[in-house]
Amino acid sequence: MVKKTDTESELEKKYRILIENMGEGLCVLDKNFAPTFVNPKFYEITGYPKDELLGKPVFQFVKGGSRKILKKELGKRRKGQSSRYTIKVRKKSGEEIFLLISGVPRFDEKGKFAGTIAIVSDITERKRLEKELEERTMELEKEVEKRARLLVDLYRGVAVSEERSRLAQEIHDSLAQTLATSFLKTEMCEKLLGDNQVQAKKELSELRKLLTKSIKSTRHVIFGLQLPNFHRAGFTAVLKQYFQEFQRKSGIMCDLKVKLERSLAVRTQVGIYRIIREAMNNVRKHAMAKRVDLVLRTDKKGDLHLIIEDDGKGFDLKQSLARSKYAKRFGLKGMMEQAKRLGGTFTVETAKRQGTRIKVKVPLKK
């Protein structure tokens, strides 16, 4: 026979000490969900004295949505189910608190439902911190959104400034010079009309050609101000339309190959489109090319590659870059900066009478 080391009364005493000193509230409910026993921590949490708790249905201490939750959860006990849930109650003082309750069912010797035992924790402070964290997160999100808008506005401002500089150079290189020459021709015609009408007619004919050129340049500058709607038409479709129009107006044969395995961000589409447009503008104005080949593709590493190659007269790259005005004229600086803003690289391969090849590589974010 095994000798017992603890009597039942000693075990009961130990359990009572444990229950009375535990950090959570303990509540024993009968089959009508009225407390028959609560430990000191439960009194401390709720603020109610013993005589106001024992024998009173717990529903009278809970109101609103929390009462519905409590009824639903206690209904599970009759079915033999345990659960864990959170409700909001009022302490004796009127202060609202949040309780995390873990409940299990009780059954008597005959297997009939006898009530429930619940462990109750006051999580009011945790809820307060969660709410504070949520509010702080919302504030941070608003601040991030605000700063993002500022960055977008700043980027737009920089882009507008750069576009103005590009257009100013474009107007200076073509339209302004042509109009200045036209003005001189007009003055010359005024002087010749009385003395040499034959020469005056010749000068007027030249003037007409210059004005026609100015009209074309003006239309080109206006066209340069416009950006297509990539979202509506699709980036590849926009490029195809641009090259068809370029070939029709310039008479230069164009071959376009686009193979994109992933979609491009709008910012990338705009940047690449501007590089292409500037490069093609250079071909039209300076290269004396008969053919242009363009390849735009993505690779397995997630990089975007752009190659534009013409069979034109080419130029001395070192000499062109050394002369800032010449570099601006050819738009090299603008294309380099555009590629840099996209986080990419820009290279030019050219030599006199050997055509020009432009390469752009842009890493795409995952």
Side-chain angles (χ1 to χ4, degrees):
M1 184 175 179
V2 180
K3 184 178 179 180
K4 293 184 179 180
T5 57
D6 289 310
T7 63
E8 290 184 1
S9 60
E10 288 174 335
L11 283 173
E12 185 179 342
K13 183 179 179 181
K14 287 183 178 181
Y15 287 136
R16 184 170 292 276
I17 292 172
L18 176 64
I19 290 170
E20 289 179 352
N21 291 278
M22 64 190 296
E24 292 82 23
L26 177 68
C27 181
V28 180
L29 306 180
D30 61 19
K31 62 181 181 180
N32 296 316
F33 303 119
T36 59
F37 172 82
V38 292
N39 70 344
K41 186 64 178 179
F42 190 89
Y43 292 128
E44 180 186 329
I45 291 173
T46 62
Y48 284 95
K50 185 176 182 179
D51 60 331
E52 292 186 32
L53 278 175
L54 298 182
K56 310 287 177 62
V58 292
F59 300 113
Q60 72 181 49
F61 300 101
V62 186
K63 299 185 182 298
S66 289
R67 178 180 286 185
K68 291 181 180 179
I69 295 173
L70 185 61
K71 284 184 176 181
K72 179 182 177 181
E73 295 299 325
L74 291 180
K76 294 178 181 179
R77 304 296 173 268
R78 294 186 183 277
K79 299 176 183 178
Q81 299 175 2
S82 302
S83 66
R84 195 178 188 197
Y85 57 98
T86 300
I87 59 173
K88 183 168 65 175
V89 301
R90 285 189 181 274
K91 296 178 67 172
K92 173 73 173 177
S93 63
E95 177 190 354
E96 285 190 340
I97 59 173
F98 288 90
L99 301 180
L100 176 63
I101 302 174
S102 298
V104 295
R106 290 193 305 124
F107 296 92
D108 60 19
E109 295 83 357
K110 296 180 180 180
K112 292 184 178 181
F113 179 70
T116 178
I117 299 175
I119 301 294
V120 180
S121 301
D122 183 355
I123 60 168
T124 306
E125 181 63 15
R126 192 180 85 184
K127 283 287 186 180
R128 185 189 68 78
L129 292 173
E130 287 176 355
K131 185 179 180 181
E132 186 178 314
L133 179 61
E134 183 180 353
E135 290 174 351
R136 182 59 180 157
T137 301
M138 290 179 65
E139 289 176 5
L140 287 172
E141 287 176 351
K142 289 180 181 179
E143 184 65 23
V144 169
E145 185 179 351
K146 179 181 176 182
R147 290 181 181 272
R149 285 198 298 268
L150 288 173
L151 286 173
V152 169
D153 291 341
L154 179 61
Y155 174 77
R156 285 175 178 169
V158 171
V160 168
S161 177
E162 290 171 348
E163 192 69 5
R164 284 176 177 172
S165 298
R166 187 189 70 80
L167 288 171
Q169 189 66 38
E170 181 83 13
I171 291 170
H172 176 270
D173 287 348
S174 57
L175 185 58
Q177 291 181 6
T178 305
L179 289 175
T181 305
S182 299
F183 179 75
L184 293 174
K185 291 280 185 185
T186 304
E187 286 187 330
M188 187 179 295
C189 287
E190 285 180 345
K191 294 177 181 179
L192 292 172
L193 277 174
D195 302 327
N196 191 340
Q197 292 189 5
V198 175
Q199 184 63 28
K201 286 183 179 181
K202 185 178 179 181
E203 293 295 336
L204 284 171
S205 178
E206 290 294 324
L207 179 59
R208 182 181 297 170
K209 292 178 182 178
L210 286 171
L211 290 174
T212 301
K213 183 180 178 181
S214 295
I215 291 170
K216 288 183 178 180
S217 296
T218 303
R219 286 173 177 168
H220 177 74
V221 171
I222 292 171
F223 177 75
L225 286 169
Q226 300 171 338
L227 278 176
N229 190 328
F230 301 117
H231 178 71
R232 181 182 298 174
F235 187 56
T236 302
V238 167
L239 290 181
K240 287 181 179 179
Q241 184 178 357
Y242 173 81
F243 272 82
Q244 288 172 359
E245 190 69 10
F246 180 89
Q247 181 171 296
R248 184 182 68 80
K249 290 183 176 181
S250 67
I252 301 172
M253 183 67 66
C254 298
D255 183 58
L256 173 67
K257 293 179 181 177
V258 180
K259 189 175 182 181
L260 301 176
E261 300 295 336
R262 54 183 295 184
S263 59
L264 305 180
V266 174
R267 179 172 177 268
T268 304
Q269 291 179 9
V270 172
I272 291 296
Y273 182 79
R274 282 177 169 162
I275 292 172
I276 291 173
R277 192 173 65 185
E278 186 62 39
M280 297 303 291
N281 185 42
N282 291 340
V283 171
R284 179 183 62 83
K285 291 172 62 177
H286 308 296
M288 298 178 65
K290 295 181 180 179
R291 180 184 176 89
V292 181
D293 294 290
L294 184 145
V295 176
L296 183 66
R297 64 179 180 85
T298 51
D299 62 21
K300 294 180 180 179
K301 295 181 180 179
D303 293 332
L304 178 68
H305 298 268
L306 169 66
I307 301 174
I308 305 173
E309 187 171 4
D310 68 66
D311 62 354
K313 63 180 183 179
F315 58 95
D316 189 318
L317 181 60
K318 290 183 179 179
Q319 185 180 4
S320 298
L321 291 175
R323 295 161 58 188
S324 59
K325 289 184 179 179
Y326 202 61
K328 284 183 179 178
R329 180 187 171 195
F330 275 80
L332 292 177
K333 185 178 179 182
M335 288 188 283
M336 288 176 180
E337 290 176 351
Q338 195 70 247
K340 186 177 180 181
R341 279 197 297 273
L342 295 175
T345 58
F346 178 92
T347 57
V348 180
E349 299 172 2
T350 185
K352 288 185 177 181
R353 295 182 295 278
Q354 293 185 24
T356 302
R357 178 185 294 165
I358 290 174
K359 292 182 178 180
V360 179
K361 180 181 177 182
V362 177
L364 301 179
K365 293 181 179 180
K366 295 182 179 181

